[in-house]
Amino acid sequence: MIEPAYLQPNDTVAIVSTARKILLEEINPAIELLKAWGLNVIIGETIGLEANQFAGNDAQRTADFQQMI
């Protein structure tokens, strides 16, 4: 089995919402924890979007996820 390397300080992580809507305020504790670990955090465009119960429409969520990959 191939195992990826552990995250190191100054690595970058991205947070996107591929399903339900979520507000930036709700993920702030996670962002602060990741920063405390020395990681750079990028927030996707889907955070804070709303389309019924989803974080934006299908195209917005797909584009945000693809951009972060």
Side-chain angles (χ1 to χ4, degrees):
M1 173 172 40
I2 299 172
E3 292 185 26
Y6 292 107
L7 290 171
Q8 301 294 317
N10 293 317
D11 282 348
T12 300
V13 295
I15 300 176
V16 299
S17 181
T18 59
R20 78 171 185 90
K21 61 186 173 188
I22 192 163
L23 299 174
L24 183 59
E25 294 80 28
E26 295 176 85
I27 61 171
N28 271 335
I31 293 168
E32 293 307 315
L33 179 62
L34 293 168
K35 287 181 178 180
W37 291 344
L39 301 170
N40 301 312
V41 181
I42 299 174
I43 304 303
E45 295 178 12
T46 52
I47 303 302
L49 291 183
E50 181 177 347
N52 297 314
Q53 76 269 22
F54 296 107
N57 61 38
D58 291 346
Q60 290 169 316
R61 289 182 284 124
T62 302
D64 199 25
F65 183 68
Q66 287 291 324
Q67 179 180 355
M68 296 304 174
I69 291 177

